Amino acid sequence: MHKKHWIAIGPTTHIPVREGRAVRVGTREIAIFNLGGRFVAIDNQCPHKGGPLCDGIVAGTAVVCPLHGWKIDLAAGNVVKPEVPVCVETFRTRVDENGIVFVERPSRELALEDGEVAA
Amino acid sequence: MSGSKQLVVIGNGMAGVAFVEQLLKHRLRYEITIFGDETHVNYNRILLSSVLAGEKSIEEIELNGLEWYQKNGIRLQLGVRIVKIDPQGKTVEGEDGSRTRFDKLVIATGSSAVVPPIPGCEKDGVSVFRTLDDTRWMMQRAASGVRAIVIGGGLLGLEAARGLQLRGADVTVLHLAAGLMERQLDLTAGAYLRAKIEALGIRVRTSCATKEICGDGRVEAVRLENGELLAADMVVIAAGIRPNAEIAKQAGLAVNRGIIVDDRMRTSHPDIYAVGECVEHDGQTFGLVAPLIEQGKVLASVLAGNAEVAFRTSITATKLKIMGVDVFSAGLTEAKAGCEEVRFEDPALGIYKKLVLKNNRLAGVILAGDASDSHRYMEWLREGTDLTAKRRQLLFPDPAPDHGASIAQMPDSETVCGCMGVTKGAIIAAIHERGICTMSQLKECTRASTGCGSCSHACESLLKAVAPGFEEEGKKTICKCFPFSYDQLRDIARSQQLRSVQQIIEIYGNGQGCEICKPALSYMVDMLWCGEHEEDRSARFINDRVHANIQNDGSFSVVPRIRGGVTSPAELRRIADVAEKYNVRMVKITGSQRIDLLGVKKADLPKIWADLGMPSGQAYTKGVRMVKTCVGTTFCRFGTQDSIAAGVELERRLENLFTPHKLKMAAVGCPRNCAEATVKDIGLVGNEGSWQVVVGGAAGKTVRRADLLVTVETTQQAIEAAELFFQYYRENANYLERTYDFVERVGIEKIRRDTVYAPENVRRAILDRLRKSKAIARDAWLERDEPAHPTQFIQIEPMPQPLPAAAP
Ligand code: SRM
Ligand SMILES: Cc1cc2nc3c(=O)[nH]c(=O)nc-3n(C[C@H](O)[C@H](O)[C@H](O)COP(=O)(O)OP(=O)(O)OC[C@H]3O[C@@H](n4cnc5c(N)ncnc54)[C@H](O)[C@@H]3O)c2cc1C
Ligand code: SF4
Ligand code: FES
C-alpha cells in the first residue's frame, strides 16, 4: 500500500538549499524545494500562465514565479500575490534514513497506476 | 494671570505628554506647565532602539515639536528637574530654585534604569539605556572592533546589544537568569531566542553573574562571579527599571514600589495625580506604554468631570523590536493549576508557539520565530473568546491571503495599534472625516503607529484600502525585507565584511528575503568583494542560474557573443548546424547585432554551448551586453576612426562583467552614428583626430541623448574613459538603475570630476578595481563542463523505486 503512495526522487543533495527542481511523475511535473532541512513539493505549473515554479526564487516559505512574479506559498499552495483565490496542488514529502527524498504520489497518478482501467 | 487654574506636570515623557494631549481635547481652562529634566522635546522612547540600530534618525522619533507646545500655550521648562513637592502650599520647587504654584499636579516622572550594586559601575565607559542622551553616547562609542558587554538579556538588553552590533561592535550579553527574557518567555522560547540572537553574531551567556567592572578609571574588563575576566571597551547595563517615586515619597504621598494611585489616577493627595511608569496601581507597576496611554485618557476624563471612568489594568503584550527576530508574549507564560498548554515546535525553522488555556479561553501566549498571528491571540486574550469551537485551529489559522484581506476581515472594534489603543473603526473614521491619505497624517491625527511601530503595516494596509487618495511616503528601503536602503546596505556589507546574501538577510533583514532583494544583494556582494564572496545561486534569478533567458513557455534562448557584431562564414555555419541539430524553434538577428537561438530546453543548454564553441553574450543578465559597431574606416567612405577595432577591443575588455542593470555600448566611425552610439549606455563617437565618449543614452522605454563625458585623441584614451565610467557606475548605481537614470541622478559634472577629471591616483584605483574584477570574470557558459551544481541543468527523473520490502 505504502509503496504506491511514496515515490523515491533522489538524494537530498540533488536539490540545493532554497532552490527547486522539477521531477516528472507519470504525466505530471512536480517542483520539489529544499527549504533547508525541510522539503516541500507543489505542482510545477504556475496558476497564472503555467510558468515553471521550480525555477522561481524562494522567499521564506513562498516561491516567486520566474515569468510574471506571482508568489505562491509552498506549504499551503495558495497564491499570496496578487490576491487571487487560486491554489496549486501540494504534495507531502519525507526523507528516509538514507537521505532519499520521497514525494507523495499525486492522487490522479495513483488512479492510473492502480491500473485496473489502464490495464 | 487670568482666572485659569494652574496645572503642573512633572515629567516631559511619553505618559505625561500623552495625558496633556488628551486633556487638550476636552478644552478645559487650564494653564499648563510641563517640567522635564531632559533637554529634549517629547520623543518616542520606545524607538531609541531603532535609532541605535540606525533604522530611524533622532528627528524621526520626535513626537511633539516645540511648535506643538507653543500652539497649545503650554509652558515648557526643559532641563529643569523638580526636587520638591509641597502638597500643603501647593507648589513645586525646581533644581534652579524656581517655585511654581499648582491647583492640580500630575506626576509623570517615569522610571530609571536599575544599576545593580556591582563595583565599578561609575567608571567611564559604563552606561544605562534609557534616554536619548544615553543612546547618543552609545552611538558615539560603538564602532567597528569595540568590545561591548551588555548586562541583562531582557527586551532592553537585547535591543541594545543588537544596536551596538549593527554599529560594528563585538557584543556579548551577560544574563543572570537561565533563559533570555525570562519574564516574558518560558525556557524553551528563551532557547529559541538565544539561537536566533547567536545566529546574528552576538555572544550570549546565561546564568551568568557579574562580579565587578574593572579598569583604571575607564572600563577595561568585566569580571564574572566564577572569576573569569572578559575584556571590554564599553558596558551597557539593562538590568531592569525602578519607578521614579522619590519626590512623591518625600512629599508624604503614599508610595510602595511606585506612587500609589486609585482607579482615577489620584494619589493619596486629592489634587495630586500620577500617570506612567512612576505609578503603582492595584499592586502593579508598568513597563510598556499601552497601559500608560490608557491612564492618560482616564485622567484627562477625570479632570473633565467624568465620574464614570476608571483605569483597569489590561493584558499587555511584549514584542521584541529586532528585525528578523520575531518574539511575542502576552499573559501567562506557564500553565498554572487548572490550565492546559498547547504547543507547536519546528526546530529547523526556528518556530515555537505556546498557548496557555484556561477553561477553553486564552490565558497566555508565547510566539518565537513567527509572530504573524499575534493580533488574533491578543484579541482572544482581551475579549476572553471561548475557543471550544476553534480547538483544532488554535495554532494554524486558515491562511489569510495577505494582510490586506486579514485587515478587511478584522472587526471595527478590534485594536490595530496596541500601544496607543487605536481601533480599526477609529482609523477608518479619521480617514473619512479628516480626509487623511498619508501615514504621517494618520499618526498626527490618531496617534496610531506612534508607539512601537509594529502596527505600521496594518495601518498602511487600512489606508491603502480605505483612503481614496492614498499616498505612499517614507524613506526608500530596498524592499519589505529590510529597514535599509540599498546604499545603506552596501555600506553595512562593506564595513561588516559580509560576503554572502543569506548572511545579510539573516543579520540585517527579516531572515527570508524575496525576489527583489536577493538578486540585488547577489550583485552587491559580487561587486564589493570581487569574487571573494560566497556565491549563492539560490539568490539569483533563473536566468543567472542557467545563463540563458527564460521564455514564455519555460524554454530558453541562447545568444552567443559576437563581438562588435563581426562574425565569419565558419561561425555562421556552426550556428546553423547547432540550430538544426537541436531543432531550435527560431533563429533571429537581434537588435543588438547578434544572433538569437530561441526555444531551447534547459537540459540542452550545456550541449548547445559546447557545440557552438562561442562565449556567452550575457543577453539574459544584468551585465555587459554588447558593443555595436559600424564599419568605420575599414570600409566606409566617411569613416574617420576604426570603430570596429575600437568596439571589439572595448567588448573584450568588459565582457563577462556584471553591472547594476544591463549595459549596452556602441562605437561609430563618424557622427552619422550608424550604430546608434549616442543612445547607448556608453558610446564612442569617432571624429577626425578624436573620439567623443558619451554616456547615459537610451532608446528603449524612453529616449535620451547621451551626455558627453570627455573628448580624447586616441582610441586607448577613449577606451580608458569608457572603463572609468563603467566601473564608477558599477560601484555607485543602485541595483536596477540604468545609466540613463544614474547619470541624471548624479549629474554629468560630478561624474566627470569623479572619473576622467579625477586625480591620477583616484583614476588608477578605479581602473585597478576594474582589472581585479575582470581578472576573475569567466565566461558563464564554461559551466557546461563544470556545473555549479550536479543538477543545475537537469530535469530530475524519479529513482528506480525501491523493492516493496525496503519501501518506507
Ligand atoms: C532578443 C531581443 C529582441 C530582438 O529579437 O532583437 C530583445 C529581447 C528582449 N528584450 Fe530587449 N531585446 C533586444 C534588443 C533590445 C534593444 C536594442 C539594442 O540593444 O540596441 C533595446 C533598446 C536599447 C536599450 O536596451 O535600452 C531593448 C530594450 C529592452 C528593454 C527596455 C530597456 C529600457 O530601460 O528602456 C527591456 C526591458 C528592461 O530591460 O527592463 C528589454 C527586455 C528584453 C527581454 C529580455 C524581455 C525579458 O526580460 O524577457 C526580451 C527577451 C526575449 C526572449 O525571450 O529572449 N529590452 N532591447 C534583442 C536582444 C539583443 C541582444 O542581442 O542581446
Ligand atoms: C530602549 C527602550 C525600548 C523600549 N521599548 C518598548 C516597547 O517596545 N514597547 C513598549 O510598550 N515600551 C517600551 N519601552 C518602555 C517605554 O518607553 C516606557 O514605558 C515609557 O516611555 C514610559 O513613559 P513615562 O512617561 O512613564 O516615562 P518616561 O518616558 O521615562 O518619561 C518621564 C520623563 O520625566 C523626566 N523626569 C523624571 N523625574 C523628573 C523630575 N523630578 N523633574 C523633571 N523631570 C523628571 C524623565 O527624565 C523623563 O523624561 C522602552 C523603553 C526603552 C528605554
Ligand atoms: S557612421 Fe560613419 S563610418 Fe560608420 S557607416 Fe556611417 S558613415 Fe560610415
Ligand atoms: S506564469 Fe507564473 S506569474 Fe505568470
Side-chain angles (χ1 to χ4, degrees), chain B residues 164-191:
Chain B
L164 293 171
Q165 186 223 9
L166 282 171
R167 296 190 173 268
D170 178 25
V171 186
T172 307
V173 174
L174 308 181
H175 191 52
L176 196 56
L180 291 177
M181 289 182 65
E182 79 284 2
R183 285 207 273 147
Q184 293 90 10
L185 303 180
D186 61 7
L187 274 173
T188 317

Side-chain angles (χ1 to χ4, degrees), chain B residues 771-787:
Chain B
R771 304 266 179 276
K772 201 171 161 214
S773 289
K774 176 68 183 173
I776 50 146
R778 272 165 43 107
D779 167 18
W781 287 359
L782 294 175
E783 281 183 11
R784 60 181 175 244
D785 302 322
E786 287 171 38

Side-chain angles (χ1 to χ4, degrees), chain B residues 187-197 345-347 349-352 368:
Chain B
L187 274 173
T188 317
Y192 272 84
L193 174 59
R194 178 182 184 147
K196 264 288 189 191
I197 295 288
E345 234 182 296
D346 188 334
L349 289 181
I351 296 178
Y352 172 71

